[in-house]
Structure formats: structure tokens, C-alpha cells
Amino acid sequence: METKIDEILNQNTFSKADLISLLQTDKETRNKIFTQAAKIKAEYVGKKVYYRGLIEMSNICSKNCYYCGIRLDNKNANRYDISDSEILDAVKFAYESNYGSVVLQAGEISSPTFTKRISNLLKQIKDISNNELGITISLGEQPDEVYQEWFENGAHRYLLRIESSNPDLYYKIHPQNKKHDFETRMACLKSLQKIGYQTGTGVMIGLPFQSYEDLANDLLFMRDFDIDMCGMGPYIEHVDTPLYQYKDLLMPIDDRFTLTLKMIALLRIIMKDINIAAATALQAIDPIGREKAIKVGANIIMPNITPGMYRDNYKLYENKPCTNEEAADCTNCMEIRIGITGDDIGYGEWGDSKHFEKRV
Ligand code: SAH
Ligand code: SF4
């Protein structure tokens, strides 16, 4: 078994069967995967972590994903929409703190007014920062023209998780209707890639009904799609959502955490030069969860710079960390945190996906 794992880990291509067996490994073998991923990260993207200051603009959403705490039908969610001036204050904070990039994320809203508002914000972010801040957006499914308009206004990275690459599982965690169509999501990802965005996707790990084979297929999907960036994290149940009824089917939360680290490490091994985020959801389970992800292959961290008073309401899942803090607290805390991983921080740098640079 020992030598077999070493052999598998040193291959250039990985079969689905290899990935399934690696995902199921015990503690000792797991550490071999982690060591290999850390080595590959150092060699291909360097021991450096890049910041993306995350602004959770609004928790108003028109969709009803079964897992998410801010879904339309959750009447217990306390809705907010941060004003443009508050958003720009957070942007200034990121710029002054030398973060390099910001991320605008929100529930999914699609309307001409929303499109214009984002376009204006993008232009202002560029203005405020002398064109220096990189901009990632994560605003769900939109028509091609909208993606195009935002790209022209300065967004150059987009995050849209496929959530699961298995359509059957996708429809177990989403309503089966036009607003939650697997093919549309896939088409959106293709459109983002075609327009020229650095394209990021990802999945949730430890969902009810999800198998090791599903996760292995997710890794192969990301490889075959040729993604530039990935953000994936553990599924964390939320009491006010339909998926909560299956909580007894879930693996223990610590196992979901470890499985996420394995997914990150394996993705680093099979896609050596992409950007991989250490998801905030990891920190909801383990106080140093994101730092553990950095040690096994992740190279992006998204410090939350949403104004403190709104944070508590962007509850996609339970136990969301740092909801009672302000952005400045994050900067100090992050620096100490990254320090313990032994990596440097890419202050003031975009830290674009090296994979993207080679792909285009
Ligand atoms: N509305 C946008 C962006 C906000 S949601 C979109 O859906 O793309 C961002 C991500 O949060 C989703 O892609 C999903 O993977 C994650 N998420 C939502 N609910 C979650 C939960 N209960 N546990 C873990 N991650 C969750
Ligand atoms: Fe809305 Fe995104 Fe949550 Fe789905 S995952 S309900 S689109 S915020």
C-alpha cells in the first residue's frame, strides 16, 4: 500500500480510480498527499499568499439554493444592501492596506439597474486605486452581455462555483427549475472563460448524497475545464434551509474539514499552477482552518472587509467566523496567521493565476 501511494502520487496523470483511493486514505497516507502538494505549490506558484479583500455587498438573493442561509425563501434572514459609498470606503481600506485585490460578492440579482450599479462601482474602484487594485467578482449567473460589460469596466476574475459537477447531485441541492439549471451554470462558466476572465469555480465538500466518486469527478471536471482559480470549502448545514433535514446523513464536521484539505491538496497536485483559495468556511470549523489549507496547497486568502455592522447577516452557513470584527482587526490578525504558515504575503500584488498567464 505504502509504495503504491508513492507511485500514484508521482504520476503525471491521475485516473478517477487513483483520485478516489487518495480521497479515502488514512492519516499516514494523507500526510504524504499533503507533503507532495506543499512541494508542488512551492515549486510552481511559490510560498506566497495573495490577499483579496472580500466585500459581501448584499445578502439579497433571487434564488433558492437548498443549502444557503440567504436563499430567497428564508424569511429569517435579515436583508441588507451596502451603499456604494460604504463599499468604496472598504475599497479604500483595502487599497491603503496594500491588499492588491478586492472581491465583490453578493446574492444573485439580475437587472439592468444592478448591472449599471456594478459597472459604476468597478470604474470607481479603478479610479480610487489608480488602476492598481485587481478586481474579482462573484455575482452569480448573468447574461453574456452583462459579463462582457463588467469585464470591460475592469473586473478580470470571476468566481462561480459549479457546486457539484454531477447533475443528479446538483438537482438534489437545488430546485429543478429554469432559475437553477445545471446547463445554464455550465454555459455561464464557459462564457466567462471565453470573454477572457480568469475563471474560478469550485464545489462544496461533504454534501448529503455526495460520494467519493463525485468528488473525484469534480477534480477531473476542474482539470478538463482548464480553470484558472478554485474556491472550494466544506458544506456547513444551516438550520433555516431545506437541506438541513438531511443533517443525519452528513459525515462528522471534522471529516468534512479533512476531506476539504485533501481536495485542495489533490487539486494542487493535478493543476499545479492555478490559484486556490483557502475558503472562509474552513475557519468556521477550525480556528486555523485556512492556515492549514495554505500549508497543503492554497495560495489565496480573502480577508473579510465588509463593514462590521453587516457581517452578521451574510450567513450562508452557521458559525461564520469574525462576524463581530472590523476590517482593521483582520489585517493584524491575518498577518500573524500567515506568519505561522511560513509563507510570505504578496502585499500590493495582484497575484494573478499563473495558469491563466500561460493559457492565453
Ligand atoms: N450568489 C453567488 C455568490 C454568493 S454564494 C453564487 O451563488 O455564486 C457563494 C458560495 O457560498 C456558493 O457558491 C456556495 O458554494 C457557498 N455556500 C452557500 N451556502 C453554503 C453552505 N451552507 N455551506 C458552505 N458553503 C455554502
Ligand atoms: Fe443565492 Fe448564491 Fe446563496 Fe444560491 S448560493 S441562494 S445564488 S447567495
Side-chain angles (χ1 to χ4, degrees):
M1 186 70 189
E2 275 289 289
T3 44
K4 186 148 179 282
I5 291 290
D6 290 329
E7 257 171 49
I8 296 177
L9 278 176
N10 283 308
Q11 298 172 131
N12 282 326
T13 48
F14 290 75
S15 69
K16 191 202 294 189
D18 293 335
L19 294 171
I20 294 174
S21 75
L22 291 170
L23 283 168
Q24 287 176 299
T25 45
D26 60 15
K27 196 166 177 185
E28 198 178 318
T29 336
R30 188 204 305 161
N31 286 336
K32 289 193 168 188
I33 303 175
F34 292 165
T35 309
Q36 177 83 345
K39 206 172 104 197
I40 289 177
K41 175 184 159 184
E43 189 177 333
Y44 285 82
V45 294
K47 280 175 68 64
K48 205 162 183 183
V49 176
Y50 300 97
Y51 279 0
R52 317 280 185 237
L54 172 65
I55 306 171
E56 297 158 336
M57 287 179 53
S58 168
N59 67 355
I60 299 171
C61 187
S62 61
K63 285 175 81 169
N64 256 321
C65 308
Y66 289 153
Y67 42 85
C68 179
I70 63 170
R71 61 198 298 276
L72 176 68
D73 286 352
N74 181 13
K75 302 288 176 268
N76 292 334
N78 194 356
R79 304 290 166 174
Y80 72 84
D81 189 13
I82 305 184
S83 71
D84 288 2
S85 69
E86 284 171 301
I87 292 172
L88 294 172
D89 282 346
V91 167
K92 274 179 213 141
F93 169 82
Y95 181 53
E96 282 156 12
S97 314
N98 236 344
Y99 275 13
S101 293
V102 289
V103 184
L104 296 183
Q105 190 177 68
E108 191 175 305
I109 299 292
S110 210
S111 75
T113 322
F114 185 72
T115 303
K116 284 275 148 313
R117 179 177 176 213
I118 297 298
S119 288
N120 281 330
L121 279 168
L122 293 170
K123 282 187 246 172
Q124 293 185 74
I125 295 172
K126 288 290 175 191
D127 275 356
I128 286 179
S129 69
N130 296 316
N131 278 325
E132 283 170 31
L133 277 177
I135 311 178
T136 309
I137 49 178
S138 178
L139 302 167
E141 294 167 23
Q142 303 284 345
D144 290 1
E145 318 77 80
V146 174
Y147 286 150
Q148 183 71 42
E149 180 178 322
W150 290 343
F151 185 71
E152 283 162 15
N153 282 305
H156 60 126
R157 312 184 190 108
Y158 205 106
L159 287 176
L160 184 71
R161 288 187 178 175
I162 191 71
E163 315 296 358
S164 167
S165 62
N166 174 355
D168 291 337
L169 178 55
Y170 192 87
Y171 288 120
K172 286 191 176 120
I173 61 170
H174 296 97
Q176 196 149 5
N177 60 32
K178 261 187 88 189
K179 244 193 152 348
H180 302 80
D181 185 71
F182 179 80
E183 293 305 327
T184 307
R185 198 144 187 105
M186 199 66 93
C188 283
L189 275 173
K190 291 201 178 116
S191 153
L192 291 164
Q193 193 180 51
K194 189 156 166 262
I195 289 170
Y197 281 97
Q198 290 173 53
T199 309
T201 194
V203 296
M204 280 176 287
I205 295 149
L207 287 161
F209 316 112
Q210 190 178 45
S211 64
Y212 286 106
E213 185 176 6
D214 287 328
L215 291 170
N217 280 327
D218 290 337
L219 290 170
L220 295 174
F221 163 77
M222 292 190 261
R223 184 192 68 188
D224 295 343
F225 193 92
D226 210 13
I227 61 163
D228 305 303
M229 332 184 284
C230 176
M232 58 184 168
Y235 163 66
I236 302 177
E237 64 275 28
H238 189 298
V239 64
D240 292 323
T241 60
L243 220 53
Y244 192 74
Q245 64 186 296
Y246 302 112
K247 65 176 192 318
D248 297 335
L249 298 181
L250 300 175
M251 62 173 78
I253 194 116
D254 289 347
D255 293 354
R256 276 177 261 164
F257 178 86
T258 308
L259 194 52
T260 302
L261 291 186
K262 277 192 201 165
M263 285 287 284
I264 289 175
L266 289 174
L267 186 63
R268 175 59 70 203
I269 293 171
I270 66 170
M271 294 195 80
K272 303 180 166 46
D273 55 358
I274 64 169
N275 276 351
I276 305 179
T280 313
L282 285 166
Q283 199 191 347
I285 302 178
D286 180 331
I288 52 163
R290 291 181 302 179
E291 292 72 14
K292 289 182 180 170
I294 287 169
K295 286 212 150 244
V296 302
N299 66 329
I300 300 290
I301 208 151
M302 294 158 64
N304 194 340
I305 55 166
T306 308
M309 61 190 282
Y310 298 110
R311 280 190 198 193
D312 204 29
N313 293 319
Y314 197 80
K315 274 211 176 121
L316 308 175
Y317 45 83
E318 290 177 43
N319 270 335
K320 208 164 161 253
C322 304
T323 55
N324 57 355
E325 278 164 38
E326 283 293 343
D329 304 336
C330 281
T331 309
N332 299 331
C333 167
M334 288 302 317
E335 199 159 303
I336 297 166
R337 283 166 172 278
I338 309 290
I340 58 174
T341 68
D343 278 18
D344 291 329
I345 300 169
Y347 277 121
E349 293 179 59
W350 279 15
D352 274 344
S353 164
K354 292 201 176 11
H355 187 76
F356 177 80
E357 287 160 19
K358 284 189 210 139
R359 185 167 69 74
V360 292

